[in-house]
């Protein structure tokens, strides 16, 4: 499969780079763009019950800031080829403000003990910068565009559709979950950019009669430079198997077809796509840990949205072989398919945009438990543009997660819930 | 696998095709920055190096750095692109073309003047006036133009503007 994609990529690369038509050359430009936001968040979340209840309790109010810096390079060669690069630097979603010296007396360097943070999380500060997407691209008017680097694939990236997030901070896919502590208290969902920005090659076609299509391929789910490890282990980008740890995606392939058109003043856009992958193999066959290997992803994604008179409505449906939130589905007694529905609507009048969205997801959850995991989120919000690039936002988001027979923090079979109100200001230049 | 093989067969054909080039801002962008409408200063980032040739990003409805509606402005330029341009003032919203004589009728020539009347995308936001001359006795003399010609051109501009708006909104 990957040979096919690489071969087709080479064909297109030849076509893109081989164009010789005369065209106006444009010297490259370098731009710096940025984003900053400041939020007040009132977070009312469950904090455990019974044996899961922590001895540390949480307050409800907090301020939080976030920023991005984008470097954007664009140019056009005399033969008509456009080219460029984008490097996005961000303050990442670093949840831990601990140093290594505060955990296990400073000896904490490896995998996390049960219930504790991983080494990467432990050394992270909430103010650290890292790269988000970074890629170089070349494009021709007739052959399409190739991108090389760290970014989303075509299904939940370039050609994604149906995710209405242009109000508040994004609703279901907004800032609410930055404020909720504990992965058990954050419901799973699927939205644009939900898979990580693994290093990959992306091809997108020109538009023909309203249709364009694309495909992407990455050898694994590793981002950034280098191998990801210094000793052989599951952290290595090229990891092929593991004995203790988690399965990772290998040979991730995405393909999507998008249509955009206008009918009687209504703009329509639709996307159908497929996300597939292999998975690293579990070599741990000890009887005490009868855990099988994971299955690769095989998920179909379908998005549709319509825009008219300032209103936009959309929906995105994903179904296929995956566990919650497009994580790999481990072998177990419960191998049900992932089902995810995202719906949203927004309306813009003058400087005000209001909207709402929601997400429902069922998945296997704990594969050794026969019941389904159910996650749901809904959100309403608004933003008001004080000036182009400067907006006030307000949003309320409520989410819950539950799996019968499993303790997700509030006792076996009970629902875990988090409700977040956010108001803040954000700007972009 | 079969789908990928089919894709592999299609891709080389694309290289010979006649599709429209998809611009980068027509792709979904999941960055937080992309969720903010418009840009402070009107342009997409601060230009550090090179000459700014881009159209304004974000805030396209009100034209960003343009003085008039960006969709109407681009649509008018597109519609009148068959005529040689004499001047285009994006702040005043005035486009003036030079005389153009169609090869099929060398005895007559046309020029057009277009006014974009504001920052809103409205059906009465553009006025196009076409002038026509005929060659008589070796000199050009003014000739009447059907009123429907102006209206037809305005309708073409509005249709193109609506198309641009729909493309932008569906991103």
């Amino acid at each position: 499969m990957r040979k096919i994609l690489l071969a087709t990529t080479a064909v297109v690369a030849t076509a893109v780079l081989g164009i010789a038509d005369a065209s106006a050359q444009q010297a490259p430009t370098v731009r710096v763009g940025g984003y900053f936001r400041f939020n007040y968040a009132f977070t009312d979340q469950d904090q455990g019950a019974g044996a899961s209840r922590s001895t540390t309790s949480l307050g409800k109010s907090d301020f939080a800031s976030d920023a991005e810096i984008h470097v954007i390079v664009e140019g056009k060669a005399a033969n008509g080829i456009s080219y460029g690069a984008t490097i996005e630097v961000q303050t990442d979603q670093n949840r831990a403000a601990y140093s290594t010296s505060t955990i296990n007396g400073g000896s904490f360097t490896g995998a996390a003990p049960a219930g504790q943070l991983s080494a990467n999380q432990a050394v992270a500060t909430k103010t650290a910068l890292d790269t988000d997407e970074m890629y170089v691209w070349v494009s021709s008017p007739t052959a399409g565009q190739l991108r090389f680097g760290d970014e989303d694939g075509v299904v939940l990236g370039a050609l994604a559709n149906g995710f209405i997030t242009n109000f508040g901070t994004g609703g279901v896919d907004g800032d609410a979950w930055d404020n909720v502590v504990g992965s058990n208290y954050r419901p799973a969902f699927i939205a644009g950019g939900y898979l990580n920005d693994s290093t990959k090659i992306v091809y997108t076609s020109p538009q023909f009669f309203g249709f364009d299509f694309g495909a992407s391929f990455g050898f694994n789910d590793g981002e950034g430079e280098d191998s990801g490890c210094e000793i052989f282990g599951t952290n290595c980008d090229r990891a092929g198997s593991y004995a203790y740890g988690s399965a990772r995606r290998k040979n991730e392939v995405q393909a999507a077809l998008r249509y955009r058109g206008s009918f009687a003043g209504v703009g329509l856009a639709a996307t159908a796509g497929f996300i597939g992958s292999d998975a690293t193999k579990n070599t741990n066959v000890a009887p005490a840990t009868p855990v099988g290997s994971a299955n690769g992803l095989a998920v179909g994604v379908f998005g549709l949205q319509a825009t008219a008179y300032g209103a936009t409505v959309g929906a995105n449906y994903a179904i296929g072989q995956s566990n919650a939130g497009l994580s790999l589905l481990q072998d177990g007694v419960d191998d049900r398919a992932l089902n995810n529905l995202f719906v949203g609507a927004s309306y813009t009048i003058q400087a005000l945009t209001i909207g709402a969205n929601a997400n429902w997801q069922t998945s296997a959850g704990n594969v050794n438990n026969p019941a389904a995991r159910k996650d749901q989120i809904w959100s309403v919000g608004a933003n008001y543009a004080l000036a182009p690039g400067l907006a006030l936002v307000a949003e309320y988001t409520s989410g819950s997660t539950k799996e019968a027979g499993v303790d997700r923090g509030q006792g076996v079979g009970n629902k875990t819930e988090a409700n977040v109100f956010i108001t803040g200001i954000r700007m972009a230049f | 696998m079969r789908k990928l093989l089919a894709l592999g067969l299609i891709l080389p054909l694309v290289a010979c095709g006649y599709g429209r080039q998809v611009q980068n801002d027509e792709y979904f962008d999941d960055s937080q920055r992309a969720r903010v409408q418009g840009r402070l200063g009107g342009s997409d980032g601060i230009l550090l190096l090179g000459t700014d040739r881009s159209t304004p990003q974000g805030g396209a409805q009100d034209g960003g750095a343009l003085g008039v509606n960006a969709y109407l402005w681009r649509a008018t330029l597109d519609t009148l692109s068959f005529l040689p341009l004499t001047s285009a003032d994006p702040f005043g919203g005035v486009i003036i073309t030079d005389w153009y004589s169609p090869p099929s009728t060398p005895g007559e020539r046309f020029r057009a003047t277009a006014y974009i009347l504001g920052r809103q995308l409205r059906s009465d936001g553009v006025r196009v006036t076409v002038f026509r001359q005929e060659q008589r006795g070796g000199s050009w003399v003014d000739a009447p133009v059907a009123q429907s010609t102006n209206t037809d051109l305005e309708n073409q501009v509005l249709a193109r503007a609506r198309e641009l708006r729909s493309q932008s909104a569906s991103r």
Side-chain angles (χ1 to χ4, degrees):
Chain A
M1 186 178 287
R2 67 187 178 202
K3 287 178 183 174
I4 295 167
L5 273 174
L6 290 175
T8 52
T9 300
V11 169
V12 175
T14 304
V16 168
L17 302 176
I19 287 176
D21 294 340
S23 182
Q25 183 176 359
Q26 289 181 13
T29 58
V30 180
R31 296 172 181 273
V32 172
Y35 160 82
F36 181 85
R37 63 101 159 133
F38 172 87
N39 284 344
Y40 162 76
F42 182 88
T43 306
D44 182 13
Q45 70 168 102
D46 288 336
Q47 299 185 27
S52 299
R53 184 164 187 85
S54 169
T55 56
T56 303
S57 64
L58 301 173
K60 297 186 187 304
S61 291
D62 197 11
F63 291 135
S65 53
D66 190 14
E68 294 177 357
I69 297 292
H70 296 192
V71 179
I72 306 156
V73 182
E74 288 182 341
K76 189 175 183 182
N79 59 7
I81 296 173
S82 303
Y83 57 88
T86 296
I87 302 169
E88 299 176 2
V89 179
Q90 63 177 354
T91 51
D92 207 354
Q93 195 179 17
N94 300 316
R95 298 190 184 282
Y98 301 103
S99 68
T100 52
S101 62
T102 64
I103 299 177
N104 289 358
S107 62
F108 183 81
T109 56
Q116 291 197 25
L117 303 163
S118 73
N120 285 339
Q121 288 173 310
V123 298
T125 72
K126 286 174 58 185
T127 54
L129 294 176
D130 67 6
T131 57
D132 186 6
E133 297 194 352
M134 52 179 181
Y135 53 87
V136 62
W137 57 271
V138 290
S139 175
S140 94
T142 54
Q145 183 176 118
L146 281 171
R147 292 186 178 191
F148 309 88
D150 294 5
E151 65 167 330
D152 298 297
V154 291
V155 176
L156 296 179
L159 306 183
N161 250 319
F163 300 112
I164 309 301
T165 55
N166 63 333
F167 64 90
T169 70
V172 167
D173 188 33
D175 295 340
W177 313 117
D178 294 355
N179 301 282
V180 176
V181 177
S183 59
N184 269 348
Y185 301 90
R186 294 188 290 269
F189 62 95
I190 293 175
Y194 199 75
L195 282 175
N196 73 335
D197 300 322
S198 56
T199 309
K200 56 172 68 77
I201 295 175
V202 178
Y203 169 75
T204 47
S205 77
Q207 189 180 39
F208 302 92
F209 307 107
F211 289 92
D212 58 345
F213 59 89
S216 59
F217 172 77
F219 284 106
N220 50 64
D221 60 3
E223 300 179 352
E225 68 160 351
D226 295 343
S227 63
C229 62
E230 184 53 27
I231 57 173
F232 300 159
T234 55
N235 285 340
C236 298
D237 283 1
R238 288 182 287 117
S241 63
Y242 63 97
Y244 297 97
S246 300
R248 294 177 52 174
R249 297 194 309 277
K250 288 173 54 183
N251 301 324
E252 179 195 300
V253 178
Q254 297 188 28
L257 175 67
R258 177 173 69 166
Y259 173 77
R260 289 173 294 159
S262 176
F263 301 91
V266 179
L268 284 178
T271 295
F274 174 78
I275 304 172
S277 81
D278 299 331
T280 54
K281 184 180 179 184
N282 185 6
T283 58
N284 179 17
V285 293
T289 55
V291 178
S293 286
N295 301 288
L297 295 178
V299 179
V301 180
F302 309 92
L304 178 67
Q305 68 185 56
T307 303
Y309 312 110
T312 302
V313 296
N316 187 283
Y317 179 63
I319 181 171
Q321 181 175 275
S322 166
N323 208 334
L326 294 176
S327 59
L328 294 175
L329 183 62
Q330 204 83 25
D331 283 340
V333 299
D334 185 3
D335 62 352
R336 77 183 65 234
L338 168 85
N339 271 275
N340 189 88
L341 176 63
F342 183 113
V343 298
S346 70
Y347 180 67
T348 300
I349 178 168
Q350 303 291 343
L352 178 68
T353 298
I354 57 174
N357 57 20
N359 193 90
W360 296 269
Q361 184 175 113
T362 58
S363 62
N366 185 335
V367 296
N368 295 315
N369 178 60
R373 171 179 167 173
K374 297 179 180 178
D375 299 85
Q376 59 183 24
I377 311 169
W378 63 268
S379 180
V380 295
N383 53 40
Y384 183 81
L386 297 172
L390 182 66
L392 299 174
V393 301
E395 177 185 277
Y396 179 80
T397 304
S398 177
S400 65
T401 173
K402 174 182 180 179
E403 181 171 355
V406 172
D407 183 356
R408 293 193 53 78
Q410 291 297 106
V412 174
N414 290 335
K415 182 168 70 174
T416 297
E417 189 170 346
N419 305 301
V420 183
F421 170 76
I422 289 176
T423 184
I425 186 168
R426 60 186 184 176
M427 59 161 281
F429 60 87
Chain B
M1 179 68 83
R2 281 196 297 272
K3 291 175 183 174
L4 290 173
L5 279 170
L7 190 62
L9 293 174
I10 291 171
L11 292 183
L13 298 177
V14 170
C16 308
Y18 299 95
R20 185 186 67 86
Q21 185 173 20
V22 179
Q23 303 300 312
N24 279 328
D25 58 2
E26 296 176 56
Y27 295 125
F28 180 85
D29 185 344
D30 75 321
S31 71
Q32 295 295 314
R33 178 173 176 262
R35 290 192 179 171
V36 183
Q37 291 182 332
R39 296 286 176 265
L40 292 175
S43 65
D44 189 28
I46 300 168
L47 186 68
L48 295 184
L49 182 68
T51 303
D52 190 356
R53 297 174 189 273
S54 66
T55 53
Q57 302 290 313
Q61 166 66 28
D62 62 9
L66 298 177
V68 295
N69 183 271
Y71 297 118
L72 288 176
W73 176 255
R74 294 173 202 164
T76 307
L77 284 175
D78 282 358
T79 305
L80 299 180
S81 62
F82 69 96
L83 297 169
L85 207 60
T86 295
S87 81
D89 174 7
F91 298 100
V94 181
I95 295 172
I96 302 172
T97 76
D98 204 348
W99 288 106
Y100 172 72
S101 187
S104 57
T105 54
E108 63 177 353
R109 64 181 187 176
F110 301 89
R111 74 184 303 181
T113 304
Y115 302 96
I116 315 299
L117 301 177
R119 298 173 71 88
Q120 302 299 316
L121 180 54
R122 298 161 52 105
S123 61
D124 59 354
V126 62
R127 287 282 177 272
V128 179
T129 307
V130 176
F131 301 94
R132 176 171 168 264
Q133 288 186 336
E134 292 177 350
Q135 197 167 34
R136 294 175 191 166
S139 61
W140 293 100
V141 294
D142 290 339
V145 177
Q147 180 57 37
S148 62
T149 306
N150 297 332
T151 308
D152 289 346
L153 276 172
E154 288 167 3
N155 287 339
Q156 282 196 34
V157 169
L158 292 171
R160 177 63 180 148
R162 188 172 65 182
E163 188 178 307
L164 291 170
R165 178 69 181 89
S166 297
Q167 288 173 359
S168 172
S170 62
R171 286 172 203 158

